[in-house]
Amino acid sequence: MTDPAPATVSRFGSLGRVLHVDLSTERHWVEEVDEAVYKQFLGGYGLGAWLMWKHYPAGTDPLAPEACFAICSGLLTGTATPFSGRIQIVGKSPLTNTWADSNSGGSVASHLRHAGFDALVVRGKAARPTLLVIKDDEVSFAPADELWGQQIPPVFDELKRRFGGKREVGVSAIGPAGERQARIASVMNDRYHAFGRQGFGAIYGSKNLKAIVVGGSGEVPIAQPKEWKAVAKRITDEYKSSIGVFMRFFVWMGKPKRWLAWLYRLFPRRGMKIQAPVAAMRQLWADRGTTGAVSLSVENGDAPVMNWKGVGSRDFPLGKQGYKLDGKEVDKYVTKKLSCGDCPMPCKGIVRVKDKGLEDVRRPDYETICGFGANLLNDDLELVTACHDACNRYGMDAVSSSATLGWVCEAVERGLLTKDDLDGVDLRWGNGAAALALTIKMGEGSGCGAWLAHGVERAAKHLGKGSEQFAVHVHGSEPAYHDPRFTSLMGVTYTADPTPGRHTAGSASWNETFGVGFSLPAGAPKGEVEVKWKSDKGKGQAQAHFSNAHQAMNGLGLCMFTMLTGRLPWLELVNTVTGWGIDEAELLRAGERIQNLRAAFNWREGLRPGDFTAHPRMMGEGDGNLTAGPLKGVRVALPVLRDDYYRHMHWDTTSGRVSKARAQELGIAELLGEFVA
């Protein structure tokens, strides 16, 4: 970064320019956004929520030409701030018909800012398969007929060849699943990263938009370049200094051991928090990312198995099967590390699986391994990786895909689906090859894959026969592989966040189970952000604080895993980049404004809290009341906990709307208008 010229720059951190594109008419224009909007809502999801509140036509079908979506940059993204290489997309979900957002690694947002824009809003429908190309101030539309129908890898190879190398452009594209508007379709960024949840791939497909290509040569002006560089260097040095011989040994000692399975089951039974030194967490993340938690989570009950009715320690025990999916087994296939961008601690990887013919494939992570592995009782890691790769090649969300297959396994087990119904594929528990075959069918939209590719709720409606009773979802969205019977506040996130079923939407569950500290300690009293695992006391208040902090983090464009591996100096970064001089309390209020505007989108769409209900198995009711394992007999009163969260957000528990008094305190009453309680 270079020092901006004081005579020409009147604002820092934000550019105040949003690019609008109408694919129907191939027009584009720029909206100027006042700096006050950024001070209230930061960037990322916050700016996105503001844009959708202003521009999304209320009540519009998410797949209609009139519907719009936005790709937004976090306030720090594009400045080379450590851990800021994130892209955020917002709109309305075709899977749930609710507010939708998704977060991904990749360079599209950085390039967008370098092209001179904080966000891109897309509406309309192209007359033919189209590429949207943005190169600085030049916006163009190119035919994509020859790319339509192609899988993700060749599409990215061709677009990089045509428009620039890895560092010259960022690319966001869909595969065949998105083209067919499968409601669980994803958008892939820079080939390896995904806007996975919420069905954004279907939105691209509905607009005949194959890909967005962005390249920029400008810079984001920074208010205090020298001070910012010092903070950024301190962060990088601190993380790198945590990685050394001693911590490698500590992490090795802490990795799941087959003979310690009894201890892993003891922790949740006794409500003992699983805590590790921050340096050790950094080492573990640098080594293995989320794969380091798979086998442990299956054994201790965090990861649901067998479509949420099984017991990991009994049905997929660590000593016999679970260890086969552990991070150290994944390590054997890793050929190089993979970063989201601007990261001193890259936690992702590229793998090669020779026997399956897989080359240059993104490493499967926690959700994928749990979903296609333990959830299906499949202990073949190579087949799990192949399923993961199929999702990325066709452009499908791995959580929704694997959860739908879990439902299929149970339907087969109950005699409601047969091999003939599944085009000759005999999907039963433990059959990884059959899981791969159906994943490919879903990606191709062939045979039974055509109706399975819309997610578990619609699949159950298609089949009928009472299969809706074991279709596990929250308002149409398959929950992630973290069980509320293990961590109750994750269940609150599933049912109370504007994006139902999401696990990356902001939760105090990490404090509940791991003792993770609050990222803005000066923003809330310590007693309000710490909770006990086996008690409900104070959980609604802690959830509100953690959720609001999470929205602030997204507004800044930072990586959520830095909340697990030690706090980042958010305040120093914001103030050195923008020159605002705000405090932590104001950052937390910005997060609360973002959360309120995300929720208000749902109120405007006619949704109410009662629409977001957890499946009984998620609460330990009915056959979800387990008879064995560390979660034996555990029941979770999610409606009670959700209402407690609502009260601490000043939301009415019936309408979901924020109180007028709180809206006025936050300075958003006029913006919300009639949508207050």
Side-chain angles (χ1 to χ4, degrees):
M1 295 294 158
T2 58
D3 291 359
T8 59
V9 176
S10 59
R11 63 196 294 169
F12 302 94
S14 63
L15 302 168
R17 303 176 77 236
V18 173
L19 177 64
H20 288 257
V21 171
D22 189 326
L23 294 171
S24 298
T25 59
E26 295 194 348
R27 291 191 311 117
H28 64 90
W29 63 95
V30 174
E31 176 183 9
E32 302 288 341
V33 181
D34 192 273
E35 189 174 21
V37 173
Y38 297 85
K39 289 183 176 180
Q40 278 199 308
F41 299 104
L42 306 175
Y45 288 173
L47 177 60
W50 183 84
L51 288 167
M52 291 299 98
W53 185 255
K54 183 177 180 181
H55 295 291
Y56 194 94
T60 300
D61 186 295
L63 300 181
E66 299 79 23
C68 62
F69 71 88
I71 292 178
C72 307
S73 166
L75 193 64
L76 300 175
T77 303
T79 63
T81 293
F83 299 105
S84 68
R86 307 299 297 174
I87 320 167
Q88 301 179 43
I89 191 170
V90 299
K92 184 179 178 181
S93 170
L95 182 66
T96 62
N97 284 308
T98 66
W99 166 262
D101 52 42
S102 190
N103 199 313
S104 170
S107 64
V108 172
S110 292
H111 279 292
L112 190 63
R113 296 203 93 193
H114 295 161
F117 309 105
D118 291 321
L120 164 69
V121 177
V122 180
R123 55 172 57 77
K125 179 179 180 178
R128 61 191 295 187
T130 294
L131 304 175
L132 171 60
V133 182
I134 303 164
K135 287 287 193 77
D136 289 320
D137 284 331
E138 295 183 10
V139 179
S140 60
F141 305 86
D145 302 77
E146 77 284 5
L147 297 176
W148 203 253
Q150 290 195 31
Q151 296 178 13
I152 290 297
V155 169
F156 276 80
D157 289 345
E158 171 59 21
L159 293 180
K160 292 288 188 178
R161 183 198 67 78
R162 190 186 307 181
F163 295 104
K166 181 178 180 181
R167 296 184 179 181
E168 294 172 338
V169 294
V171 177
S172 173
I174 60 171
E179 294 170 0
R180 285 189 300 277
Q181 300 174 42
R183 292 179 189 265
I184 62 171
S186 62
V187 176
M188 300 301 295
N189 297 303
D190 291 351
R191 182 170 178 171
Y192 305 109
H193 312 280
F195 291 136
R197 318 280 352 240
Q198 307 292 309
F200 279 100
I203 296 176
Y204 273 49
S206 72
K207 297 184 177 303
N208 274 336
L209 180 62
K210 180 64 175 180
I212 299 172
V213 181
V214 188
S217 58
E219 295 181 334
V220 179
I222 293 178
Q224 302 167 24
K226 292 181 180 179
E227 291 81 357
W228 168 82
K229 287 178 182 177
V231 178
K233 184 178 185 303
R234 190 175 80 231
I235 294 170
T236 301
D237 291 347
E238 183 180 331
Y239 268 81
K240 288 185 176 180
S241 68
S242 298
I243 302 174
V245 175
F246 176 74
M247 277 303 134
R248 286 187 182 278
F249 175 75
F250 187 97
V251 170
W252 179 86
M253 288 294 294
K255 290 172 185 174
K257 306 291 189 299
R258 295 161 71 177
W259 53 276
L260 281 178
W262 64 273
L263 180 61
Y264 307 141
R265 297 191 296 270
L266 182 64
F267 272 83
R269 283 177 183 160
R270 297 291 179 85
M272 298 183 293
K273 295 188 178 184
I274 307 169
Q275 294 177 272
V278 166
M281 289 302 298
R282 290 173 180 170
Q283 180 67 66
L284 177 63
W285 231 252
D287 287 350
R288 294 181 175 170
T290 60
T291 65
V294 175
S295 58
L296 176 62
S297 292
V298 174
E299 191 69 18
N300 67 20
D302 180 23
V305 301
M306 295 185 71
N307 196 31
W308 294 74
K309 69 184 179 72
V311 177
S313 57
R314 179 192 65 197
D315 302 312
F316 202 79
L318 176 64
K320 294 182 178 180
Q321 292 175 284
Y323 80 93
K324 296 179 182 179
L325 302 182
D326 187 57
K328 67 180 180 182
E329 300 301 317
V330 180
D331 287 350
K332 297 175 182 178
Y333 299 94
V334 175
T335 58
K336 63 180 179 180
K337 301 293 287 183
L338 174 66
S339 168
C340 295
D342 295 326
C343 181
M345 189 184 67
C347 65
K348 302 176 182 179
I350 301 297
V351 298
R352 175 175 181 264
V353 184
K354 184 178 180 181
D355 290 347
K356 295 291 183 290
L358 302 179
E359 297 276 354
D360 196 19
V361 170
R362 161 80 182 270
R363 180 195 68 194
D365 289 308
Y366 175 90
E367 298 294 335
T368 311
I369 300 174
C370 287
F372 289 108
N375 177 50
L376 305 182
L377 303 188
N378 168 35
D379 61 12
D380 189 324
L381 183 58
E382 294 192 353
L383 283 171
V384 169
T385 305
C387 289
H388 167 77
D389 177 57
C391 285
N392 285 351
R393 282 188 289 110
Y394 288 102
M396 291 191 303
D397 177 46
V399 173
S400 291
S401 299
S402 59
T404 301
L405 294 185
W407 170 85
V408 171
C409 282
E410 184 165 348
V412 171
E413 180 183 49
R414 290 171 177 251
L416 304 180
L417 277 175
T418 67
K419 182 178 178 180
D420 291 339
D421 296 324
L422 300 172
D423 308 321
V425 179
D426 190 17
L427 181 60
R428 299 177 184 272
W429 301 117
N431 191 340
L436 175 60
L438 282 188
T439 302
I440 292 173
K441 278 188 166 294
M442 291 164 70
E444 293 176 341
S446 62
C448 64
W451 53 272
L452 290 173
H454 295 304
V456 70
E457 181 188 32
R458 288 176 174 82
K461 287 181 179 178
H462 174 89
L463 176 62
K465 303 179 183 179
S467 63
E468 298 93 341
Q469 295 177 8
F470 56 91
V472 181
H473 63 87
V474 179
H475 198 71
S477 178
E478 299 78 8
Y481 293 104
H482 296 282
D483 197 325
R485 291 168 293 187
F486 177 84
T487 170
S488 61
L489 289 176
M490 186 60 75
V492 175
T493 303
Y494 291 155
T495 58
D497 190 78
T499 55
R502 280 274 298 285
H503 69 297
T504 56
S507 176
S509 63
W510 280 355
N511 178 268
E512 181 182 20
T513 54
F514 302 126
V516 172
F518 192 54
S519 295
L520 294 170
K526 186 175 181 180
E528 295 183 3
V529 293
E530 293 187 353
V531 294
K532 292 183 178 180
W533 198 347
K534 296 298 182 179
S535 170
D536 292 343
K537 184 179 180 181
K539 284 190 171 179
Q541 188 171 49
Q543 181 78 355
H545 286 315
F546 270 87
S547 174
N548 292 337
H550 191 96
Q551 309 317 316
M553 178 205 70
N554 282 332
L556 300 178
L558 294 172
C559 169
M560 67 175 283
F561 289 121
T562 57
M563 302 170 81
L564 188 63
T565 57
R567 300 187 189 103
L568 292 182
W570 295 1
L571 198 62
E572 289 182 85
L573 289 169
V574 170
N575 286 332
T576 56
V577 168
T578 65
W580 290 345
I582 61 175
D583 58 17
E584 289 193 354
E586 177 52 30
L587 264 184
L588 195 59
R589 283 192 292 272
E592 187 176 352
R593 293 187 194 100
I594 295 170
Q595 186 69 340
N596 270 285
L597 206 48
R598 293 171 75 234
F601 185 95
N602 284 345
W603 312 335
R604 192 172 67 178
E605 293 297 308
L607 293 162
R608 298 294 179 264
D611 297 324
F612 289 28
T613 56
H615 190 278
R617 288 181 181 176
M618 299 169 65
M619 298 185 285
E621 296 180 357
D623 60 1
N625 195 323
L626 303 178
T627 58
L631 304 183
K632 178 181 178 180
V634 172
R635 305 187 74 174
V636 188
L638 285 185
V640 175
L641 290 172
R642 182 196 61 190
D643 284 355
D644 191 24
Y645 165 70
Y646 267 56
R647 283 189 289 270
H648 284 92
M649 286 295 296
H650 306 275
W651 293 353
D652 182 84
T653 56
T654 301
S655 69
R657 297 183 181 187
V658 67
S659 72
K660 184 176 181 180
R662 187 56 180 170
Q664 289 173 336
E665 290 172 356
L666 294 172
I668 57 175
E670 184 177 349
L671 180 66
L672 294 180
E674 64 180 291
F675 294 98
V676 294

